[in-house]
Amino acid sequence: MENIITWDVKYSVGIERIDLEHKIFLDLIKNFQKEIFENVSDERLFRLILEIEKYAEFHFISEENFMKLINYPKLEQHINLHFDLLEKLNVAKHSNVNKNDFLNFTVAWFVNHTIQEDKQIYNYCKENNIEINFKLDIVNE
Ligand SMILES: [Fe+2]
């Protein structure tokens, strides 16, 4: 089985905490891919999508809190994009969605959103000399 996506420096936003959360998100997606091939039960797939959905929800709140803290000008637009994915994950969880389509969609969303949108948060900080104080002690100790 070929890995659908592997963490790469090109996905790095440059904000430590966000990058770590993105890595965990990718890990959940990879696990989902692995289990699809193992013919697991519908209930198990539901639980895995639920885990991805709830993690995405947490991560988006985390990212949005950071954007609020720095008065990010495109906050509302960014929140709408997050909301859009959460809605799609919720639908996928309750419908008999094709698992591969779900996987491909979620990965494409991640790649596109991270590179196109999340990196702009970092750029905004740099352009406005905002110190990024969103580090993880657990990583640095
Ligand atoms: Fe985002």
Side-chain angles (χ1 to χ4, degrees):
M1 178 185 60
E2 202 180 309
N3 240 331
I4 194 157
I5 189 166
T6 307
W7 174 261
D8 189 278
V9 72
K10 67 175 179 270
Y11 304 127
S12 174
V13 170
I15 303 165
E16 198 175 296
R17 165 79 182 268
I18 291 176
D19 285 341
L20 185 72
E21 289 180 7
H22 283 168
K23 285 174 187 170
I24 293 171
F25 185 72
L26 280 188
D27 203 60
L28 294 174
I29 290 175
K30 274 200 258 186
N31 189 49
F32 182 82
Q33 182 198 24
K34 196 173 118 252
E35 297 217 17
I36 286 178
F37 283 93
E38 291 168 359
N39 259 333
V40 293
S41 68
D42 284 349
E43 203 239 335
R44 174 73 184 155
L45 288 176
F46 173 86
R47 296 285 308 181
L48 291 173
I49 296 177
L50 182 67
E51 193 178 355
I52 291 170
E53 182 194 15
K54 293 298 175 188
Y55 187 81
E57 195 175 13
F58 151 76
H59 164 65
F60 291 160
I61 292 170
S62 178
E63 224 179 67
E64 288 160 14
N65 282 351
F66 180 68
M67 288 188 279
K68 275 178 195 270
L69 214 56
I70 61 168
N71 292 315
Y72 186 61
K74 289 165 77 178
L75 174 68
E76 287 308 314
Q77 186 189 321
H78 202 121
I79 286 176
N80 286 339
L81 295 171
H82 287 169
F83 184 74
D84 199 50
L85 180 72
L86 290 179
E87 268 200 335
K88 291 196 167 83
L89 292 177
N90 191 34
V91 170
K93 192 177 65 190
H94 291 291
S95 62
N96 210 356
V97 69
N98 179 292
K99 305 306 175 213
N100 280 310
D101 289 349
F102 169 77
L103 200 59
N104 290 331
F105 166 80
T106 309
V107 169
W109 193 95
F110 170 83
V111 170
N112 186 52
H113 181 81
T114 303
I115 292 173
Q116 306 289 328
E117 306 295 334
D118 292 341
K119 277 193 180 177
Q120 288 188 39
I121 306 170
Y122 175 83
N123 293 341
Y124 172 78
C125 290
K126 284 283 138 189
E127 282 157 17
N128 294 281
N129 292 318
I130 295 166
E131 197 193 331
I132 302 167
N133 192 11
F134 202 29
K135 285 181 179 278
L136 278 179
D137 288 343
I138 198 167
V139 172
N140 294 319
E141 273 168 6

